[in-house]
């Protein structure tokens, strides 16, 4: 994955748990890089090793780490020069999710090593809930998607309840159900 992802992992750990925790995680993961270059492509293995080492050092399970990291990603990219790009692809949660594949195509035009996941959106219950279908080359990242959705909810001031309703392995791909929290108001902003 692009170095931007590893930078975001580093930022997540340092801000939340301190520099010592980060150095320990880096060491336990056997990652010798002093820093990551956002535009360089790194093996996925490196990112998975960082998450694995973080479970031991932070005493959290991988799902908790991935979910919190997903929330952080939304904040982090907005702060790292991608705020305008995020704005271009939607001003409410549903619109943004409908545009996620377009966002990744846009990034992929400039950065061809991108291996983007694919998201499709299904409106159910007369628009009161969304089903988000997530397909990826990468395994094990469903908890991160839950965090991404919570981070997006925060970004758009739309509190959401997110549950996973299907998992790759048992099913063909992961599916998440998103319910808008709030007194029956229209989700359309
Ligand atoms: O293949 C990749 O390197 C890759 C990197 C990041 C693929 C996808 C992503 C983004 N994605 C991370 C989880 C991937 C899970 C998977 O592969 O199954 C998060 C996607 C996402 C979902 C919900 C809400 C927002 C999301 O992301 C917004 C986004 C997506 C991509 C970028 C920024 C924000 C991005 C921008 C530049 C990139 C890479 C990704 O590369 C750079 C960075 C700096 C300089 C040059 C290129």
């Amino acid at each position: 994955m692009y170095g931007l992802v590893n930078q975001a992992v580093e930022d997540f750990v340092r801000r939340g748990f301190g520099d010592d925790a980060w150095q320990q995680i880096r060491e336990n993961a056997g990652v010798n890089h002093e820093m990551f270059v956002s535009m360089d492509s790194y093996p996925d293995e490196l990112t998975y090793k960082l998450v694995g080492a973080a479970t031991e050092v932070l005493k959290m399970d991988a799902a908790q780490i991935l979910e919190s990291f997903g929330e952080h990603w939304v904040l982090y990219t907005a702060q790292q020069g991608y705020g305008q790009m995020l704005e271009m692809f939607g001003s409410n949660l549903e619109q943004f999710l409908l545009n996620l594949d377009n966002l990744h195509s846009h990034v992929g035009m400039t950065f061809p090593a991108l291996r983007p996941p694919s998201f499709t959106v299904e409106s159910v219950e007369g628009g009161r809930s969304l089903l988000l279908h997530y397909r990826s080359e990468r395994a094990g990242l469903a908890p991160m998607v839950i965090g991404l959705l919570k981070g997006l909810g925060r970004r758009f001031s739309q509190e959401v309840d997110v549950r996973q309703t299907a998992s790759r392995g048992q099913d063909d791909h992961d599916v998440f159900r998103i319910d808008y929290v709030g007194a029956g108001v229209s989700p359309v902003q």
Side-chain angles (χ1 to χ4, degrees):
M1 281 187 275
Y2 274 102
L4 185 67
V5 175
N6 298 321
Q7 284 183 339
V9 172
E10 176 175 349
D11 187 71
F12 165 71
V13 171
R14 291 176 97 117
R15 275 177 199 269
F17 306 93
D19 293 348
D20 292 349
W22 171 246
Q23 294 310 334
Q24 195 62 58
I25 288 167
R26 204 163 61 89
E27 190 180 311
N28 291 11
V31 170
N32 299 317
H33 306 72
E34 283 293 330
M35 54 176 284
F36 302 105
V37 178
S38 63
M39 281 187 246
D40 282 2
S41 190
Y42 295 82
D44 285 1
E45 192 61 27
L46 190 155
T47 311
Y48 284 99
K49 278 184 183 162
L50 287 174
V51 173
T55 62
E56 290 161 29
V57 174
L58 307 180
K59 298 183 175 32
M60 289 164 70
D61 58 43
Q64 280 178 291
I65 290 171
L66 287 167
E67 182 174 329
S68 304
F69 172 67
E71 261 192 273
H72 188 70
W73 172 258
V74 175
L75 264 176
Y76 183 78
T77 51
Q79 288 168 356
Q80 290 301 308
Y82 295 94
Q84 263 197 328
M85 178 184 82
L86 296 180
E87 276 170 31
M88 252 168 45
F89 288 96
S91 52
N92 63 63
L93 180 63
E94 182 170 4
Q95 192 184 39
F96 189 86
L97 295 176
L98 285 164
N99 269 322
L100 259 177
D101 284 6
N102 295 329
L103 183 158
H104 285 105
S105 301
H106 175 82
V107 174
M109 271 192 278
T110 322
F111 304 104
L114 195 79
R115 285 158 45 220
S118 175
F119 295 91
T120 54
V121 182
E122 205 185 321
S123 182
V124 294
E125 313 279 356
R128 276 185 289 121
S129 303
L130 299 176
L131 295 183
L132 181 72
H133 298 262
Y134 163 61
R135 293 176 178 86
S136 175
E137 294 184 21
R138 302 183 174 102
L141 300 182
M144 182 182 173
V145 174
I146 294 177
L148 287 163
L149 291 169
K150 290 182 177 172
L152 288 173
R154 225 199 276 174
R155 174 175 169 84
F156 296 119
S157 306
Q158 170 72 73
E159 200 186 329
V160 289
D161 184 64
V162 182
R163 268 169 301 168
Q164 187 165 0
T165 59
S167 304
R168 74 192 261 174
Q170 286 101 302
D171 311 282
D172 177 72
H173 62 276
D174 294 310
V175 182
F176 305 89
R177 184 192 169 105
I178 303 159
D179 285 290
Y180 299 107
V181 179
V185 291
S186 163
V188 181
Q189 293 178 356

